[in-house]
Structure formats: C-alpha cells, structure tokens
Amino acid sequence: MSKRYKSEDPLLLAVDCIIFGFDGNRLKVLLTQRAFEPLKGQWSLLGGFVKERESVSQTANRVLYELTGMHHIYMEELSCFSEPGRDPGGRVVSVAYFALIRTGAYDDLFVSRRGCQWFDFTELPELVMDHNEMIQHALQKLRLRAASHPAGLELLPEKFTLSQLRLLYENIYDRPMDKRNFSRKVLSMKILHKLNEKETANSRKGSYLYVFDKQGYRLLDKDSFRLM
Amino acid sequence: MSKRYKSEDPLLLAVDCIIFGFDGNRLKVLLTQRAFEPLKGQWSLLGGFVKERESVSQTANRVLYELTGMHHIYMEELSCFSEPGRDPGGRVVSVAYFALIRTGAYDDLFVSRRGCQWFDFTELPELVMDHNEMIQHALQKLRLRAASHPAGLELLPEKFTLSQLRLLYENIYDRPMDKRNFSRKVLSMKILHKLNEKETANSRKGSYLYVFDKQGYRLLDKDSFRLM
DNA sequence: ACAAAAGTGTTGTCTGTACACCCATGC
DNA sequence: GCATGGGTGTACAGACAACACTTTTGT
C-alpha cells in the first residue's frame, strides 16, 4: 500500500451518500438498512469503502451506480467525518457526499432492493453512527447550492411547472415563497424554456410546463446568479 | 486497525494546510520545502498524516501547532484529494484545510524553521503533487467565506484601520473597491469599535484604529450578512 | 506650499418584497 | 355556477454603485 511512509497509521476510507429526491410534494432522503455487521439491519446512509485504485468521487459514483443503475448523477463532496471510534467496526474515516436525483422512474427500483426507502427529511429515523449529523450538513449545503444554482433542475423531472419548482424551493428552505415574486425571478434569469404543453394533473386550468434551457444557462453570469 | 472490515483496502490519510496570511499589503501563502523523501526539498504545503487516535481536524490543528506554536487558529476543511497515484510515496488521500493567521508576531518564527516562506499568492512556485490545485480551491473558499463573514478579522492584527481591511478585501477579490462604499457597509454592520487611537505609519494625517466588536457580531443577523 | 492619505454625502438605479384579482377548466 | 389552482402588475423601501472635494500634517 505505502512504499515510503512505513511508520504511518493506515485506516479505511469510506463514502456515505446523502441522496436527496423530490416526489413532487416533499423533499426526501434515501436510506437503507445496513446489510452487514456491525449494526446490521439499522437505518443508514448508502455507502461503500474506497478501493485501492479509486478516487473518492469514483467511489461515490460506484456506490450510486450499484444502487440505481444511473450514471451522471449530480454529486458534491460535503466533508470528512473522522472521530476515532465513530465506527464500531474499526478505524474508518468517512467522506460524506450529497447527491440529487430525479425520483419517479427509479423509485420502484430503489425500494425493491436491500430495504431502501425514501424518508421525508423532517421525519428521519435514528441512523447509525454520525449519519444524522451528515444529513444536517447536507441540508445546509443543499441550501447553499440551491441559492446559487438552479438546483431544482437536478431534482425535478425534465418537464416541470413553476409551481413544482417553487414547491421544491419551499421545501428546501422550509418557508413559504410568494409565487409572483418567485416566477418573476426565475423567469428573469432566462434559464427556462416555456413549452406549449400543459400539466393538468394538479389543476383544472392546467399549468405550463418548462424545460431547462442549457443555452441560456451557459450565457448566464454565474457570479451574479442569486436565486435566494 | 480494523476489527471487522478485513477485506477492505487500507490507505494513509493526510492533511495539507493552505495557510493564508496578510502582511498589511499583500495576501500571502505559507509554503515549506519538503523535509523527507519522496520529493524532498521541493516546495509544498504544510501537512502531516492522520494518526490512529486522531480526527482529521485534530491533525490539522497539530500540524499548525507544531509549526507555529499557536492554538485556536481559524481553520476550515476544504475537500479531499484522492486520485490514485497522486503521491509517489504510496496510496495517500489528503484532506486540504485552509487556515487564516495573523502574520507579524510569528513571521520570523516560521521563516526560521524548515525553510518555510511566505509567498505572494499571485507568484507561487511549482508545488509538489496537486498542491497548486489545492491553493486555487482554497482561494475560492476564502472568497466565499469573506463574503459572508468578517474574514479580515482573522487575518489582521487586533487593531487595524479601515484602509487595511479594505486593502485585504481588494486582495482577496482581486479588484479595487470604493473606499466610501466599503466603509459605509462595514460600519453599518456594527461589528467594529472605533478607538481613540490613530495609526500614523502610513499617512501624515493618521487614520483611526478599530477593533472587532464581538458583542456586535453576536447580535448580527448572520443570514443577512453579506459583505460582498 | 505641497504631497499623501484620510474622511465624508448625495443621487440615481436596481432589487426585493408585499400585496389582490381575474382566468380557465372540470365537476 | 362554483371550486381549484394558474397566472399576472404595481408601488414602496432598502441596497448598491458611482462619483469629488476638503482635512490633516510631515516635509
């Protein structure tokens, strides 16, 4: 493992993923029941160990791929959790990652495997080790990101209504937002493209669907982007 | 090391510190010449390995204490650098930390030890491994932090003038700032206390010294704090 | 008297926020 | 015809950016 640094202390490095999803109504977190000892059967984030020939982000991608079959999931490193003794199974430092995925198409797939389940993030169970703390950090980071990026677009389906987007932001920030002001602000950024299609599932009148405008996003001045 | 996870791959975990300082004129980074093989003698960030019974932040604090004799240095985790092969000495994942310290009193101490030296952050030498990249990340993070915290106060001496504070921010953001607007904004936050003392080193007229007002800072609404 | 940095106010523009009514449709 | 969510505009307040002259004092 180490050619030179023979007198140093080796340890195991793991990745734990806080996976956020949005079911159109509430912000959710995907949890699993640990499949191995110690703490087998308890609720836990999804994770895995970093292998010899793998970067930490590759580990995170692998863990998510093994679970969801999806590549190219949006992911971001949060921070290390490294208290000695945090893992009863040994000296393990864990790097927390947060990930944003579109639910819906994949929902069944998840739930059918390994006891995975979506939890409303206001009603989380007790998790193993420091995983509850990781989720709190992740929520802070999600708020930061959503303020300066159109984070909704990673959580929503390809076509979505402004109400859905607003509802998502209300969930993330846990406060109501004025729909007129919200629409005006989002639309003024010119990163959405209005379709000639309406979503009629939630209202009699029907509301217009939008898609993310990648071109408009590229032209946007990222530094002055501030949605919240 | 590991009681349970016997089939996983162990590795070494290290911490590298990006140490920012401000000499009253330019923003600086502290570098050292590596004292051991491999890459001995080349310019490098200050770092150390995480020990068996140590959290990552404890390692960062230890590294800084061994070098500076200072405790309670402001520090923040940046991110992991984990490409396999990044360190020719073995499989080492490094956690980058950035730290803000007051130069001046400690300057001589640093420089006299182990070939440490302050570098203007616009004139950095070629560093070992991915350390140049770490510094670029650190600068981004410093800008983020300075926008939402009075970051100057960790880099400046206890008593300072508004010109010094503004000069620091101009360095961090690499752009000129209007002194009237800057003063008004900083003073409106009520986190500075004006002294009846003047600093006359830099001007004939002399400029008032200020100290950080901890009380005012506690009362401040942190969410609406936005200096940049 | 002059050079060098300190200190100080006003104005116009922009951004954010609060707020209420009509519209289209399915039942 | 009525209930439901969708869509739209205005007005006020606060924040921000641009801008220039006077003060102090060491030489």
Side-chain angles (χ1 to χ4, degrees):
Chain A
M1 175 195 71
S2 172
K3 284 169 272 186
R4 295 273 190 175
Y5 312 123
K6 295 216 169 62
S7 61
E8 304 297 339
D9 302 336
L11 47 73
L12 294 179
L13 194 61
V15 169
D16 286 302
C17 299
I18 297 97
I19 305 174
F20 286 109
F22 183 63
D23 66 0
N25 195 32
R26 302 286 292 164
L27 188 62
K28 303 278 188 176
V29 179
L30 189 65
L31 300 176
T32 187
Q33 285 174 303
R34 250 172 93 100
F36 50 89
E37 292 292 351
L39 307 174
K40 184 171 176 174
Q42 296 187 41
W43 288 108
S44 160
L45 294 170
L46 289 151
F49 287 98
V50 177
K51 296 190 185 301
E52 174 75 21
R53 305 195 162 279
E54 209 178 39
S55 70
V56 175
S57 71
Q58 282 167 353
T59 307
N61 276 289
R62 175 171 57 77
V63 166
L64 264 85
Y65 180 72
E66 285 169 1
L67 237 116
T68 67
M70 285 190 275
H71 284 298
H72 311 300
I73 291 173
Y74 176 77
M75 251 187 244
E76 193 173 335
E77 183 183 327
L78 265 183
S79 68
C80 291
F81 288 76
S82 60
E83 284 303 314
R86 59 177 286 282
D87 189 325
R91 175 60 165 139
V92 180
V93 170
S94 176
V95 184
Y97 263 70
F98 89 102
L100 305 178
I101 71 175
R102 298 184 168 84
T103 57
Y106 306 94
D107 214 344
D108 294 341
L109 186 63
F110 283 121
V111 173
S112 67
R113 291 193 198 191
R114 290 212 261 159
C116 280
Q117 198 175 309
W118 288 104
F119 284 81
D120 190 305
F121 87 105
T122 59
E123 297 163 5
L124 296 172
E126 178 114 348
L127 299 177
V128 299
M129 303 186 253
D130 40 20
H131 287 195
N132 286 93
E133 196 188 336
M134 288 181 181
I135 293 179
Q136 291 314 308
H137 279 235
L139 180 61
Q140 295 307 316
K141 192 92 169 193
L142 175 58
R143 284 179 176 163
L144 256 179
R145 177 170 173 83
S148 58
H149 297 261
L153 306 169
E154 286 131 0
L155 286 162
L156 289 170
E158 198 191 353
K159 299 175 182 182
F160 53 89
T161 66
L162 288 183
S163 291
Q164 288 171 334
L165 183 59
R166 181 170 46 82
L167 194 55
L168 171 56
Y169 268 80
E170 289 179 335
N171 262 271
I172 293 175
Y173 290 97
D174 194 28
R175 63 181 159 91
M177 297 179 189
D178 183 90
K179 65 177 174 178
R180 289 159 293 187
N181 294 335
F182 185 85
S183 304
R184 193 179 321 116
K185 194 155 187 180
V186 171
L187 293 176
S188 74
M189 293 180 166
K190 302 188 191 302
I191 54 171
L192 297 185
H193 181 230
K194 190 178 189 170
L195 301 176
N196 267 331
E197 254 179 282
K198 286 195 167 191
E199 158 73 60
T200 52
N202 291 312
S203 82
R204 317 218 189 261
K205 183 179 177 182
S207 58
Y208 282 104
L209 287 164
Y210 290 78
V211 293
F212 182 43
D213 178 353
K214 282 187 188 171
Q215 178 66 13
Y217 184 63
R218 268 193 295 272
L219 295 173
L220 187 67
D221 175 8
K222 304 299 188 299
D223 288 334
S224 67
F225 184 139
R226 196 142 288 286
L227 190 51
M228 290 297 117
Chain B
M1 175 193 72
S2 172
K3 284 169 272 186
R4 295 272 189 175
Y5 311 122
K6 295 217 169 61
S7 60
E8 303 296 341
D9 302 336
L11 48 71
L12 294 180
L13 194 60
V15 169
D16 287 302
C17 299
I18 298 97
I19 305 174
F20 286 108
F22 183 64
D23 66 1
N25 195 32
R26 302 286 294 164
L27 188 62
K28 303 278 188 176
V29 179
L30 188 66
L31 301 176
T32 186
Q33 285 173 303
R34 250 172 94 99
F36 51 90
E37 292 292 351
L39 308 173
K40 184 171 176 175
Q42 296 187 41
W43 289 108
S44 159
L45 294 170
L46 289 152
F49 287 98
V50 176
K51 296 190 185 299
E52 174 75 22
R53 306 195 160 280
E54 208 177 42
S55 70
V56 175
S57 72
Q58 282 167 354
T59 307
N61 276 289
R62 175 171 57 77
V63 166
L64 264 85
Y65 179 72
E66 285 169 1
L67 237 116
T68 68
M70 285 190 276
H71 283 299
H72 311 300
I73 291 173
Y74 176 77
M75 252 186 244
E76 193 172 335
E77 183 183 327
L78 265 183
S79 68
C80 291
F81 289 76
S82 61
E83 285 303 314
R86 58 177 287 282
D87 188 324
R91 175 60 166 138
V92 180
V93 170
S94 176
V95 185
Y97 263 71
F98 89 102
L100 305 178
I101 71 175
R102 299 184 167 84
T103 58
Y106 306 94
D107 215 344
D108 294 339
L109 186 62
F110 284 120
V111 173
S112 67
R113 292 193 198 192
R114 290 211 262 159
C116 281
Q117 198 175 309
W118 288 104
F119 283 81
D120 191 305
F121 87 105
T122 59
E123 297 163 6
L124 296 172
E126 178 113 348
L127 298 177
V128 299
M129 303 187 252
D130 40 20
H131 288 195
N132 286 93
E133 196 187 336
M134 288 180 181
I135 292 179
Q136 291 314 310
H137 279 236
L139 180 61
Q140 295 306 316
K141 192 93 170 193
L142 175 57
R143 284 179 176 163
L144 256 179
R145 177 168 174 84
S148 58
H149 297 263
L153 306 169
E154 286 130 1
L155 286 162
L156 289 170
E158 198 191 353
K159 299 175 182 183
F160 53 89
T161 66
L162 288 183
S163 291
Q164 289 171 334
L165 183 60
R166 180 169 47 82
L167 195 55
L168 171 57
Y169 269 80
E170 289 179 336
N171 262 272
I172 293 175
Y173 290 96
D174 193 27
R175 62 181 159 92
M177 296 179 189
D178 183 272
K179 65 178 174 176
R180 288 160 292 187
N181 293 336
F182 185 84
S183 304
R184 192 177 323 112
K185 194 155 186 180
V186 171
L187 293 176
S188 74
M189 293 181 165
K190 302 187 190 302
I191 54 172
L192 298 185
H193 181 231
K194 190 177 190 171
L195 300 177
N196 266 331
E197 256 178 279
K198 287 195 167 191
E199 158 73 61
T200 52
N202 291 311
S203 84
R204 318 222 189 259
K205 185 179 177 182
S207 59
Y208 283 103
L209 287 164
Y210 290 79
V211 292
F212 181 44
D213 177 352
K214 282 185 186 171
Q215 179 65 14
Y217 183 64
R218 268 194 294 273
L219 295 173
L220 187 67
D221 175 9
K222 303 300 188 298
D223 288 333
S224 68
F225 184 137
R226 195 142 289 286
L227 189 50
M228 288 296 118

